[in-house]
Amino acid sequence: AQSVTQPDIHITVSEGASLELRCNYSYGATPYLFWYVQSPGQGLQLLLKYFSGDTLVQGIKGFEAEFKRSQSSFNLRKPSVHWSDAAEYFCAVGGLNTGTASKLTFGTGTRLQVML
Amino acid sequence: DAGVIQSPRHEVTEMGQEVTLRCKPISGHNSLFWYRQTMMRGLELLIYFNNNVPIDDSGMPEDRFSAKMPNASFSTLKIQPSEPRDSAVYFCASSLGENTEAFFGQGTRLTVV
């Protein structure tokens, strides 16, 4: 069955430190890949997406993600975390068996805490 | 653009009552999605529409749930009768076609007591 795995439920980093959030998916072909961020009581904001082409994609707020086909991974990175980055981050996969990019299967999320 | 607009933001209702959640997608978007977020099940797709037509409702939990999209600028998700286990945050999202990214509303937090 198709699935999206975010192995880290909770991560704590110090402000200014680098960040990597992991995401793996299970699917036979290359799906559409997304990272969304959710602040408390808010909706989901798109950070970045991968549809095709360059496997390193840049997003908003200084985030980037790299698609690695051989590892079925799409990890999110940021070189220097700011206190305002504290939120929950969701990896999502679209197009699983549907060809519809925006019909999404979400991971369980990673809650990021930033220490000042 | 104002983004995807959902109303109400919060809804508290008694078990057995009918609940209607509303969504206005981004103007020009022709795909609309309803998601539900719970602690136990995370974010899950309930139903999606393309050009106002329901395409996949396999995520709708049971017959108590129904969704409509009478026109390109409005959709409703109705629960009748509501039950405490329906308590969740319900998100509406829209996209410009089926192969573009989805933009989410702020969500409706539903509490059924």
Side-chain angles (χ1 to χ4, degrees):
Chain A
Q2 291 78 24
S3 64
V4 181
T5 302
Q6 293 181 249
D8 304 307
I9 296 173
H10 188 201
I11 284 182
T12 300
V13 300
S14 298
E15 188 175 37
S18 63
L19 172 70
E20 183 170 29
L21 302 182
R22 296 181 291 167
C23 174
N24 292 92
Y25 65 90
S26 171
Y27 184 54
T30 301
Y32 303 101
L33 299 162
F34 306 85
W35 277 97
Y36 284 86
V37 60
Q38 184 180 28
S39 298
Q42 299 299 310
L44 289 93
Q45 182 182 22
L46 179 68
L47 285 176
L48 46 77
K49 64 184 181 185
Y50 174 78
F51 279 23
S52 64
D54 192 346
T55 56
L56 183 63
V57 294
Q58 303 297 319
I60 62 172
K61 304 185 180 186
F63 285 93
E64 66 177 26
E66 186 172 12
F67 168 57
K68 292 186 177 180
R69 185 188 305 276
S70 61
Q71 299 177 19
S72 297
S73 68
F74 190 56
N75 293 350
L76 181 71
R77 300 193 295 250
K78 186 170 185 177
S80 178
V81 170
H82 188 263
W83 64 267
S84 60
D85 293 325
E88 186 142 23
Y89 291 79
F90 292 93
C91 180
V93 170
L96 297 180
N97 284 339
T98 67
T100 303
S102 38
K103 183 183 173 186
L104 300 172
T105 298
F106 283 90
T108 50
T110 297
R111 181 166 296 279
L112 174 65
Q113 184 176 359
V114 180
M115 294 192 304
L116 300 176
Chain B
D1 198 310
V4 177
I5 299 173
Q6 293 185 245
S7 64
R9 289 294 309 276
H10 302 274
E11 176 80 42
V12 180
T13 191
E14 291 185 347
M15 182 174 61
Q17 296 297 306
E18 177 179 295
V19 176
T20 299
L21 312 181
R22 296 173 175 79
C23 174
K24 176 179 169 55
I26 293 172
S27 178
H29 283 193
N30 58 2
S31 292
L32 183 139
F33 306 80
W34 284 99
Y35 289 87
R36 180 172 67 174
Q37 184 178 34
T38 61
M39 289 293 293
M40 293 298 295
R41 299 175 65 88
L43 279 154
E44 52 184 347
L45 177 68
L46 299 178
I47 185 171
Y48 91 90
F49 296 82
N50 192 47
N51 293 322
N52 311 337
V53 175
I55 303 300
D56 183 353
D57 65 354
S58 58
M60 295 287 262
E62 48 197 279
D63 292 345
R64 296 185 297 106
F65 286 69
S66 62
K68 294 183 179 179
M69 192 165 186
N71 57 63
S73 59
F74 184 65
S75 176
T76 60
L77 178 67
K78 184 177 295 185
I79 308 172
Q80 166 63 18
S82 59
E83 297 182 2
R85 59 194 170 114
D86 302 330
S87 297
V89 181
Y90 291 82
F91 288 104
C92 176
S94 70
S95 68
L96 182 62
E98 293 183 299
N99 291 317
T100 60
E101 64 270 29
F103 294 87
F104 283 75
Q106 295 294 293
T108 295
R109 180 174 296 277
L110 173 66
T111 303
V112 183
V113 298

Coordinates of all heavy atoms in Angstrom, one line a residue, chain A residues 32 34 36 38 41-46 49 51 88 90 98-108, chain B residues 9 31 33 35 37 43-45 48 56 58 91 95 97-107 109:
Chain A
Y32 N 4.1 13.2 -6.9 CA 4.3 14.6 -6.6 C 4.6 14.7 -5.1 O 3.9 14.1 -4.3 CB 3.0 15.4 -7.0 CG 2.6 15.2 -8.4 CD1 1.6 14.3 -8.8 CD2 3.2 15.9 -9.5 CE1 1.2 14.1 -10.1 CE2 2.8 15.7 -10.8 CZ 1.8 14.9 -11.1 OH 1.4 14.7 -12.4
F34 N 5.4 17.2 -1.6 CA 5.2 18.5 -1.0 C 5.6 18.5 0.5 O 5.6 17.4 1.1 CB 3.7 18.8 -1.0 CG 3.0 18.7 -2.4 CD1 2.5 17.5 -2.8 CD2 2.9 19.8 -3.1 CE1 1.9 17.4 -4.1 CE2 2.2 19.8 -4.4 CZ 1.8 18.5 -4.8
Y36 N 4.4 20.8 3.8 CA 3.5 21.9 4.3 C 3.9 22.1 5.7 O 4.4 21.2 6.4 CB 2.0 21.4 4.3 CG 1.4 21.5 2.9 CD1 1.5 20.4 2.0 CD2 0.6 22.6 2.5 CE1 0.9 20.4 0.8 CE2 0.0 22.6 1.2 CZ 0.1 21.6 0.4 OH -0.5 21.6 -0.8
Q38 N 2.3 23.8 9.5 CA 1.1 24.2 10.2 C 1.5 24.8 11.5 O 2.0 24.1 12.4 CB 0.2 23.0 10.4 CG -1.1 23.3 11.0 CD -2.0 22.1 11.2 OE1 -1.6 21.0 11.4 NE2 -3.3 22.3 11.2
G41 N -3.3 26.2 15.5 CA -4.5 26.9 15.2 C -4.7 27.4 13.8 O -5.6 28.1 13.5
Q42 N -3.7 27.1 12.9 CA -3.7 27.6 11.6 C -3.9 26.5 10.5 O -3.8 25.3 10.9 CB -2.4 28.4 11.3 CG -2.1 29.5 12.2 CD -3.2 30.6 12.1 OE1 -3.6 31.0 11.0 NE2 -3.8 31.0 13.2
G43 N -4.1 27.0 9.3 CA -4.1 26.0 8.2 C -2.8 25.6 7.8 O -1.8 25.8 8.4
L44 N -2.7 24.9 6.7 CA -1.4 24.4 6.2 C -0.9 25.3 5.1 O -1.6 25.6 4.1 CB -1.6 23.0 5.6 CG -1.9 21.9 6.6 CD1 -3.3 21.6 6.8 CD2 -1.2 20.6 6.2
Q45 N 0.3 25.7 5.2 CA 1.0 26.5 4.2 C 2.0 25.7 3.4 O 2.8 25.0 4.0 CB 1.7 27.7 4.9 CG 2.3 28.7 4.0 CD 3.0 29.8 4.7 OE1 3.4 29.7 5.9 NE2 3.2 30.9 4.0
L46 N 2.0 25.9 2.1 CA 2.9 25.1 1.3 C 4.3 25.7 1.4 O 4.5 26.9 1.2 CB 2.4 25.2 -0.2 CG 3.3 24.5 -1.2 CD1 3.3 23.0 -1.0 CD2 2.9 24.8 -2.6
K49 N 7.5 22.2 -3.3 CA 6.9 21.1 -4.0 C 8.0 20.6 -5.0 O 8.9 21.3 -5.5 CB 5.7 21.5 -4.8 CG 6.0 22.6 -5.9 CD 4.8 23.1 -6.6 CE 5.1 24.1 -7.7 NZ 4.0 24.7 -8.3
F51 N 7.7 18.4 -8.6 CA 7.0 17.7 -9.6 C 7.9 16.9 -10.6 O 7.6 15.8 -11.0 CB 6.1 18.7 -10.4 CG 4.8 19.1 -9.7 CD1 4.7 19.0 -8.3 CD2 3.7 19.6 -10.4 CE1 3.5 19.3 -7.7 CE2 2.6 19.9 -9.8 CZ 2.5 19.8 -8.4
E88 N 4.4 22.5 13.1 CA 4.4 21.1 12.7 C 4.5 21.1 11.2 O 3.9 21.9 10.5 CB 3.0 20.5 13.1 CG 3.0 19.0 12.9 CD 2.3 18.2 14.0 OE1 1.5 18.8 14.7 OE2 2.5 17.0 14.1
F90 N 4.5 18.8 7.7 CA 3.9 17.6 7.1 C 4.5 17.4 5.7 O 4.5 18.3 4.8 CB 2.4 17.8 6.9 CG 1.6 17.8 8.2 CD1 1.4 19.0 8.9 CD2 1.2 16.6 8.8 CE1 0.7 19.0 10.1 CE2 0.5 16.6 10.0 CZ 0.3 17.8 10.7
T98 N -3.5 8.1 -9.0 CA -4.5 8.9 -9.5 C -4.1 9.9 -10.6 O -4.9 10.3 -11.4 CB -5.2 9.7 -8.4 OG1 -4.2 10.7 -7.9 CG2 -5.6 8.9 -7.2
G99 N -2.8 10.2 -10.6 CA -2.4 11.3 -11.5 C -2.9 12.6 -11.1 O -2.7 13.6 -11.8
T100 N -3.5 12.7 -9.9 CA -3.9 14.0 -9.4 C -3.0 14.5 -8.4 O -2.9 14.0 -7.3 CB -5.3 13.9 -8.8 OG1 -6.2 13.3 -9.8 CG2 -5.9 15.2 -8.4
A101 N -2.2 15.5 -8.7 CA -1.1 16.0 -7.9 C -1.7 16.4 -6.5 O -1.0 16.2 -5.5 CB -0.4 17.1 -8.5
S102 N -2.8 17.1 -6.5 CA -3.2 17.7 -5.3 C -4.2 16.8 -4.4 O -4.7 17.3 -3.4 CB -3.9 19.1 -5.6 OG -4.7 19.0 -6.8
K103 N -4.4 15.6 -4.8 CA -5.0 14.6 -4.0 C -4.0 14.0 -3.1 O -3.2 13.2 -3.6 CB -5.8 13.6 -4.8 CG -6.5 12.6 -4.0 CD -7.2 11.5 -4.9 CE -7.8 10.4 -4.0 NZ -8.3 9.3 -4.8
L104 N -3.9 14.4 -1.9 CA -2.7 14.2 -1.1 C -2.9 13.1 0.0 O -3.9 13.0 0.6 CB -2.3 15.5 -0.3 CG -2.0 16.7 -1.2 CD1 -1.9 18.0 -0.4 CD2 -0.8 16.5 -2.0
T105 N -1.8 12.4 0.2 CA -1.6 11.5 1.3 C -0.5 12.1 2.2 O 0.6 12.4 1.7 CB -1.2 10.1 0.8 OG1 -2.2 9.5 0.0 CG2 -0.9 9.2 2.0
F106 N -0.9 12.3 3.4 CA 0.0 13.0 4.4 C 0.8 12.0 5.2 O 0.2 11.0 5.6 CB -0.8 14.0 5.2 CG -1.2 15.2 4.6 CD1 -2.4 15.3 3.9 CD2 -0.4 16.4 4.6 CE1 -2.8 16.5 3.3 CE2 -0.8 17.5 4.0 CZ -2.0 17.6 3.3
G107 N 2.0 12.5 5.6 CA 2.6 11.8 6.7 C 2.0 12.2 8.0 O 1.1 13.1 8.1
T108 N 2.5 11.7 9.1 CA 1.9 11.9 10.4 C 2.4 13.2 11.0 O 1.9 13.7 12.1 CB 2.2 10.8 11.4 OG1 3.6 10.5 11.3 CG2 1.5 9.5 11.0
Chain B
R9 N -15.1 29.2 11.8 CA -13.8 28.8 12.2 C -14.0 27.8 13.4 O -13.1 26.9 13.5 CB -13.0 30.0 12.7 CG -12.5 30.9 11.6 CD -11.5 30.2 10.6 NE -10.4 29.5 11.3 CZ -9.3 30.2 11.7 NH1 -9.2 31.5 11.5 NH2 -8.4 29.5 12.4
S31 N -10.4 22.6 -8.7 CA -10.4 21.4 -7.9 C -10.6 21.8 -6.5 O -9.9 22.7 -6.0 CB -9.1 20.6 -8.1 OG -9.1 20.0 -9.4
F33 N -11.0 20.2 -2.4 CA -10.8 19.0 -1.5 C -11.3 19.3 -0.1 O -11.1 20.4 0.4 CB -9.3 18.7 -1.4 CG -8.6 18.5 -2.8 CD1 -8.3 19.6 -3.5 CD2 -8.4 17.3 -3.3 CE1 -7.7 19.5 -4.8 CE2 -7.8 17.1 -4.6 CZ -7.5 18.2 -5.3
Y35 N -10.5 17.8 3.7 CA -9.7 16.9 4.5 C -10.2 17.0 6.0 O -10.7 18.0 6.4 CB -8.2 17.4 4.5 CG -7.5 17.1 3.2 CD1 -7.6 18.0 2.1 CD2 -6.8 16.0 3.0 CE1 -6.9 17.8 1.0 CE2 -6.1 15.7 1.8 CZ -6.2 16.6 0.8 OH -5.5 16.4 -0.4
Q37 N -8.6 16.4 10.0 CA -7.4 16.2 10.8 C -7.8 15.8 12.3 O -8.5 16.6 12.9 CB -6.6 17.5 10.9 CG -5.3 17.3 11.6 CD -4.4 18.6 11.6 OE1 -4.9 19.7 11.6 NE2 -3.1 18.4 11.5
L43 N -4.1 13.7 9.0 CA -4.8 14.4 7.9 C -5.3 13.3 6.9 O -4.4 12.6 6.3 CB -3.9 15.4 7.2 CG -3.8 16.7 7.9 CD1 -2.4 17.3 7.6 CD2 -4.9 17.6 7.5
E44 N -6.5 13.3 6.6 CA -7.1 12.3 5.6 C -8.0 13.0 4.7 O -8.8 13.9 5.1 CB -7.7 11.2 6.3 CG -8.8 11.5 7.4 CD -9.4 10.4 8.1 OE1 -9.1 9.2 7.7 OE2 -10.0 10.6 9.1
L45 N -8.0 12.6 3.4 CA -8.9 13.2 2.4 C -10.2 12.6 2.5 O -10.4 11.3 2.6 CB -8.3 12.9 1.0 CG -9.1 13.3 -0.1 CD1 -9.2 14.9 -0.2 CD2 -8.6 12.8 -1.4
Y48 N -13.1 14.8 -3.0 CA -12.6 15.9 -3.9 C -13.5 16.1 -5.1 O -14.1 15.1 -5.6 CB -11.1 15.8 -4.2 CG -10.7 15.1 -5.4 CD1 -10.6 15.8 -6.6 CD2 -10.3 13.8 -5.4 CE1 -10.1 15.1 -7.8 CE2 -9.9 13.1 -6.5 CZ -9.8 13.8 -7.7 OH -9.4 13.1 -8.8
D56 N -14.0 11.6 -6.2 CA -13.6 10.5 -5.3 C -14.1 10.8 -3.9 O -13.7 11.8 -3.3 CB -12.1 10.4 -5.3 CG -11.7 9.2 -4.5 OD1 -12.5 8.6 -3.8 OD2 -10.4 8.9 -4.5
S58 N -14.3 8.3 -1.6 CA -14.0 7.1 -0.9 C -13.5 7.3 0.5 O -13.6 6.4 1.4 CB -12.9 6.3 -1.6 OG -11.7 7.0 -1.8
F91 N -10.5 20.7 7.0 CA -9.9 21.7 6.1 C -10.5 21.5 4.7 O -10.7 20.4 4.2 CB -8.4 21.4 6.0 CG -7.6 21.8 7.2 CD1 -7.2 20.8 8.1 CD2 -7.3 23.1 7.4 CE1 -6.5 21.2 9.2 CE2 -6.6 23.5 8.6 CZ -6.2 22.5 9.5
S95 N -7.2 23.8 -5.8 CA -6.1 23.9 -6.7 C -6.5 24.2 -8.1 O -7.7 24.0 -8.4 CB -5.3 22.5 -6.7 OG -6.1 21.5 -7.3
G97 N -6.6 23.1 -11.2 CA -6.5 21.9 -11.9 C -6.0 20.8 -11.1 O -5.5 21.0 -9.9
E98 N -6.0 19.6 -11.6 CA -5.7 18.4 -10.9 C -4.2 18.2 -10.7 O -3.7 17.4 -9.9 CB -6.3 17.2 -11.5 CG -7.8 17.2 -11.5 CD -8.4 15.9 -12.1 OE1 -8.1 15.7 -13.3 OE2 -9.1 15.2 -11.4
N99 N -3.3 18.9 -11.4 CA -1.9 18.6 -11.4 C -1.1 19.9 -10.9 O 0.0 20.1 -11.4 CB -1.4 18.1 -12.7 CG -1.9 16.7 -13.0 OD1 -1.9 15.9 -12.1 ND2 -2.4 16.5 -14.2
T100 N -1.7 20.6 -10.0 CA -1.0 21.7 -9.3 C -1.2 21.5 -7.8 O -2.0 20.7 -7.4 CB -1.6 23.0 -9.8 OG1 -3.0 23.1 -9.5 CG2 -1.4 23.2 -11.3
E101 N -0.4 22.4 -7.1 CA -0.5 22.3 -5.7 C -1.8 22.8 -5.1 O -2.5 23.6 -5.7 CB 0.7 23.0 -5.0 CG 0.6 24.5 -5.2 CD 1.4 24.9 -6.5 OE1 1.4 24.1 -7.5 OE2 1.8 26.1 -6.6
A102 N -2.1 22.2 -3.9 CA -3.4 22.6 -3.2 C -3.1 23.7 -2.2 O -2.0 23.7 -1.5 CB -4.0 21.4 -2.5
F103 N -4.0 24.6 -2.1 CA -3.9 25.7 -1.1 C -5.0 25.5 -0.1 O -6.2 25.2 -0.4 CB -4.1 27.1 -1.7 CG -2.9 27.4 -2.6 CD1 -2.9 27.0 -4.0 CD2 -1.8 28.1 -2.2 CE1 -1.9 27.3 -4.8 CE2 -0.8 28.4 -3.0 CZ -0.8 28.0 -4.3
F104 N -4.7 25.6 1.2 CA -5.6 25.2 2.3 C -6.2 26.4 2.9 O -5.6 27.5 3.1 CB -4.9 24.4 3.3 CG -4.6 23.0 3.0 CD1 -3.6 22.6 2.0 CD2 -5.4 21.9 3.5 CE1 -3.4 21.3 1.6 CE2 -5.2 20.6 3.1 CZ -4.2 20.3 2.2
G105 N -7.4 26.2 3.4 CA -8.1 27.2 4.3 C -7.6 27.1 5.7 O -6.8 26.2 6.0
Q106 N -8.1 28.0 6.6 CA -7.7 28.0 8.0 C -8.3 26.8 8.8 O -7.9 26.6 9.9 CB -8.1 29.3 8.6 CG -7.3 30.5 8.0 CD -5.9 30.4 8.3 OE1 -5.4 30.5 9.4 NE2 -5.0 30.2 7.2
G107 N -9.3 26.2 8.2 CA -9.9 25.1 8.9 C -11.1 25.5 9.8 O -11.3 26.6 10.2
R109 N -12.8 24.1 13.3 CA -12.6 23.2 14.4 C -14.0 22.8 14.9 O -14.8 23.6 15.4 CB -11.8 23.8 15.5 CG -11.6 22.9 16.7 CD -10.7 23.4 17.8 NE -9.4 23.6 17.3 CZ -8.5 22.6 17.2 NH1 -8.8 21.4 17.7 NH2 -7.2 22.8 16.8

